[in-house]
Amino acid sequence: MKLLVCGGAGFIGSAFVRVRLAAGDEVVVLDKLTYAGRRENLQDLEIEFVHGAIEDPDAVARAIAGCEAVVNFAAETHVDRSIAEPDAFVRTHAQGTYVLLEAVRSAGVRYVQVSTDEVYGSIEEGSFTESSPLAPSSPYSATKAGADLLVAGYVHTYGLEACICRGSNNYGPRQYPEKLIPLMILNALHGDPLPVYGDGKNVRNWIHAEDFARAIDTVLLKGTPGEVYNAGGPDELENLDVVTRILELTGQDESLIRYVTDRKGHDRRYSLSSDKVRSLGWEPNWLFAEGLPATVDWYRDNEWWWEPIRSGEYRQYYEQQYGLKLG
Ligand SMILES: NC(=O)c1ccc[n+]([C@@H]2O[C@H](COP(=O)([O-])OP(=O)(O)OC[C@H]3O[C@@H](n4cnc5c(N)ncnc54)[C@H](O)[C@@H]3O)[C@@H](O)[C@H]2O)c1
């Protein structure tokens, strides 16, 4: 099939493009190339690239022509940036999703909205299911929840053939280093301090990006229109446990850990039940015990990918965010 992947130059979108190319699809990527979007993530892949924003109806019309389905990854994705500057989150998640839904409605094609466990908020015990209430706690998760509700409204009102797939915390190759795992790996490889929020005991449910990409693929091919599917990883860990494992894998010790002021409104624990997407035949391939060492190796071996980021705007962002210098 000919498929439009919005936000396909990002971390998970580019993993998904690889899955669909391997299945024989023709892929068009529409991406605004924000600081987090990179052509390098699609290097050596045969795709058609349209540089533009999902909130731009002309760019969307150019990209969607001839496509039989649309998968939307395009988003602002960093909670800390949403706390400092929420405007781009509202524009992309609200206006952008609206423009895409209108284009999908007039083209009459299938649609998958990529979403996050963060729309459910924090959970002390047990796991969220697809029928758990939405209780987002940051501008990031609130605008993602708004986009999900807009999709649901289009399904109900116009009979759009759309599904939503909500993932837990992703890790793996090509993740922008502002996120926990690549941040800690690159700092540890450089012998720089590792900033840990609060007491480090926040719990996250880790899924490898290849597994989340395969779950979205399953929903695209087999999901029932109007349904939501959660895709959580097989492991839950406290942030401090993740950091300690990275220190071990990089030959560093705990003297590099620096506790820093906690994120405002920091959710304590996320956890997703994935029974519904498993019933469609999906299951994760990666355990964290194998996925984390493979991810550390990828960053160690791919300095060409991260060096331009670490020496650019990111350095300024990092130093302002944590009050720490990068070496
Ligand atoms: N990273 C995670 O842990 C995680 C977990 C669950 C769900 N998600 C969701 O998965 C999706 C992808 O996340 P990611 O981690 O790959 O993010 P990312 O930040 O690496 O990539 C986002 C991509 O979207 C593009 N983009 C941003 N705004 C755009 C716009 N207005 N128009 C067109 N393109 C735009 C960026 O240039 C970039 O290529 C997001 O919707 C996110 O909410 C992420």
Side-chain angles (χ1 to χ4, degrees), residues 10-12 31-32 34 37 54-55 77 92 115 140 144 170:
F11 162 49
I12 308 168
D31 200 294
K32 190 175 172 178
T34 65
I54 57 167
E55 61 271 23
T77 59
T92 294
S115 186
Y140 165 67
K144 289 293 291 184
N170 278 237

Side-chain angles (χ1 to χ4, degrees), residues 119-120 123 127-135 166 230 271-273:
V119 298
Y120 298 117
I123 188 166
S127 300
F128 289 118
T129 70
E130 290 79 0
S131 52
S132 300
L134 301 188
R166 297 184 178 135
N230 290 342
S271 178
L272 281 184
S273 153

Side-chain angles (χ1 to χ4, degrees), residues 61-82:
R62 261 186 290 132
I64 204 172
C67 290
E68 292 147 87
V70 177
V71 181
N72 181 27
F73 292 86
E76 294 289 337
T77 59
H78 193 40
V79 175
D80 288 336
R81 292 193 195 239
S82 86

